[in-house]
Structure formats: C-alpha cells, structure tokens
Amino acid sequence: MKLKLTILSFGFSALTFAYVEMTRVNAKLFISDPETDFSKIQIQNEALKVKMVQFLFDNDMVDHIGTKAYDPSALFVNYYKQFGPLYQLIDLNNDKVPELIFNGYNTEEREKEQLQIFTTIKGELVSVYNEMGYLMAYKIHPNTREILLYHHQYPCCENASHNLNRLRLVNNKMTLVKRYFLGRDHGMKGKFFPEKSTFSGKFCHTKAKTMLYWSPEEINQRAWPRRSEKNTIAAYPDSVAYSVLAEKGKWHFVIMHGAPVLEENRVINPSNFTNTWIYGWIKG
C-alpha cells in the first residue's frame, strides 16, 4: 500500500511528492497467533474517555489539528467530534485503571499515523509512548493477563525500514522488544515475505558467517537502485540463534535473534541492531 502526499514548496514554486510505503502487512507472518480485533479488549466507557481526552486537550498534551497547538481559541467539542473515534480505552497492565490510546492521522495531510499512549499516575494522565505508525496487533499474556501491543512503524519516501515493536507497560514505563524487516511497494526487487509463517518455538544456530537477504534469491544487480546492487541485509557471525518461520526451496524465512557483523553496509547500520531482531531469508 502506497500513500502519496502533495506538498507545495512556495520558495521554489514547485510540487514535492512525499509518500509512505507498505503501510499494512500481514501480522501473522511476523507474530505467533496475533489478535487484531481491538474491540475485544476495549473498555466501553464513553464518559470516562471524554473526560480523559478533555484533560489532554485542556492541558495542551496533544498537538493534533483542532487543538490549541494550532488555534488558541479551539473548542474541545469540535476536536472530539473529529478525533474522538481514534481514542480507545485499554487496560494494558491489568491494574483496573485503563490507559488512553490514540492511533490515527493527526493532521489533514494524512502522512503517517501516530500512536500515543497515556497512563494514569497519581490521578493525572502522563504520556508514556508517542511514535509514528499504527497498532498492528496485540496479545494477552497468559499468566498476568497484561496486554502486549505490537506497533508497526512503516517507511517513508525512499526508505524501506519497518520497525515492529512489542510494547509492554511496566511500572508506568513502556518497555520495547524491537524487531525489523525491509519492504517497499515499489523500487526494490524480490518477494519479501512468504505466504505463511509457522512458529514452532525451535531455535537453530548459524554454523559459519551467514548472509541475510530480503528475498529468497541472490540478486547482484540493481536490487535497490541508488542504494544497493545486492538484496543483502546484513551478515551474521557463527553461533547466532535464529528461528525458521517458512521455507521456499533451499531458502528459509527466519528471524535472527542476535547481532549482525559490524562491517560496511549500504542497507542498514549494523551497530544499531545489537538488540533488534531482523526478519529475512537465509540459504538452508
């Protein structure tokens, strides 16, 4: 899915096109048994939701269009009419006090969606998460009944980076488990993902230096024009753990559970991935 935006640059009297790429992917390819129907975990209390959103509005805690950040004379009733449906109440940490979550476009330009999470500390709302992207899925912890959110941050313009963060609210702070994959609707060669993933829970280990690719093949010319001739993501040293999620001939779609080799790379900066798992393809 590709969304285009048109921005007028008055200084140059020209139109500049910005766009986002691959804003939606199949959650089942990356997450074991994801839940995607958020209505099942929403707390239906409209009066409480209105009260909480008005607190944000009155205290300048959101900068959406229609708020005082845009117009000091803005009215809450008008703001809530437009943005109220984008808020939901979900009790993330199972403490019987719901968090307030906003997810949607915050301006008329409709470039990237915004995810904002507010929790209650000493009777007042406090922001604990504010990033671009959308809520892809959730899971309920089998023991604590906490709700774990999966946040997909999709790429803009010429980029191809997707961040998939698992969010968990602990002691009024959001903790993250970071995952990453590459993909674009246009401009890169190869099929990025399998048709289906299977999560066995088993771990394998590399037995030598292993290259991770973004598609199940070796492309050596113009794989990503102006960025990379090859469809390689990064190399991994031996003894790195990984999980096989799908197979295609001699290729395996995997998630790597270790850090890549720190070497020259035209696709990612390996030093930024010491604690981030990457999805991709390796030769079996």
Side-chain angles (χ1 to χ4, degrees), residues 16-274:
T16 301
F17 292 92
Y19 53 90
V20 288
E21 289 272 347
M22 200 175 283
T23 63
R24 297 294 186 270
V25 294
N26 183 358
K28 293 181 180 179
L29 297 179
F30 307 95
I31 307 166
S32 174
D33 298 320
E35 296 284 350
T36 56
D37 185 357
F38 283 86
S39 68
K40 293 181 179 179
I41 57 173
Q42 290 175 1
I43 295 174
Q44 303 299 328
N45 188 331
E46 183 65 15
L48 177 60
K49 188 173 83 166
V50 170
K51 180 180 178 180
M52 295 173 79
V53 176
Q54 182 150 23
F55 180 89
L56 301 181
F57 183 89
D58 292 342
N59 289 277
D60 294 329
M61 294 178 64
V62 285
D63 58 358
H64 310 158
I65 191 169
T67 64
K68 295 177 182 178
Y70 280 79
D71 180 4
S73 62
L75 299 176
F76 174 73
V77 63
N78 296 332
Y79 169 76
Y80 194 79
K81 182 178 180 180
Q82 180 177 359
F83 287 94
L86 300 179
Y87 284 93
Q88 54 187 322
L89 297 175
I90 299 176
D91 185 3
L92 297 180
N93 54 357
N94 195 28
D95 66 351
K96 311 307 178 185
V97 180
E99 277 63 51
L100 179 64
I101 299 174
F102 172 88
N103 192 205
Y105 298 103
N106 59 7
T107 68
E108 293 177 345
E109 284 78 13
R110 295 177 66 85
E111 182 180 354
K112 283 189 175 183
E113 294 151 285
Q114 184 178 26
L115 173 62
Q116 295 174 278
I117 302 175
F118 302 88
T119 193
T120 301
I121 301 177
K122 295 182 179 180
E124 293 192 351
L125 286 174
V126 176
S127 174
V128 291
Y129 195 75
N130 185 5
E131 297 289 344
M132 294 300 166
Y134 87 105
L135 280 176
M136 173 191 281
Y138 70 90
K139 296 183 75 170
I140 299 176
H141 196 286
N143 299 322
T144 65
R145 308 307 294 173
E146 296 169 272
I147 295 173
L148 311 177
L149 301 177
Y150 289 85
H151 174 216
H152 176 204
Q153 295 176 290
Y154 43 80
C156 177
C157 307
E158 296 299 320
N159 204 346
S161 295
H162 295 255
N163 294 290
L164 178 55
N165 301 321
R166 193 200 73 179
L167 311 179
R168 183 180 183 184
L169 184 62
V170 180
N171 296 326
N172 295 323
K173 293 183 179 180
M174 200 62 68
T175 63
L176 278 68
V177 173
K178 299 179 180 180
R179 304 177 186 183
Y180 176 92
F181 59 91
L182 287 171
R184 288 177 59 84
D185 296 311
H186 307 84
M188 291 174 71
K189 294 181 180 179
K191 186 175 181 179
F192 301 102
F193 317 124
E195 297 296 328
K196 180 182 178 181
S197 290
T198 300
F199 297 84
S200 67
K202 297 179 180 180
F203 288 87
C204 303
H205 292 83
T206 57
K207 294 180 172 57
K209 186 177 180 180
T210 301
M211 185 60 67
L212 185 70
Y213 298 79
W214 69 63
S215 60
E217 61 200 318
E218 288 190 59
I219 302 173
N220 295 306
Q221 291 185 333
R222 297 182 59 79
W224 187 357
R226 300 183 301 278
R227 185 70 173 265
S228 177
E229 290 294 308
K230 299 181 178 182
N231 64 324
T232 56
I233 300 175
Y236 283 81
D238 63 358
S239 301
V240 171
Y242 65 90
S243 301
V244 177
L245 306 181
E247 297 182 4
K248 183 178 181 181
K250 296 181 178 180
W251 291 84
H252 294 160
F253 183 65
V254 302
I255 180 168
M256 306 299 296
H257 299 291
V261 175
L262 297 179
E263 61 185 13
E264 183 178 356
N265 191 311
R266 295 290 303 274
V267 176
I268 67 170
N269 182 350
S271 63
N272 293 334
F273 288 83
T274 56

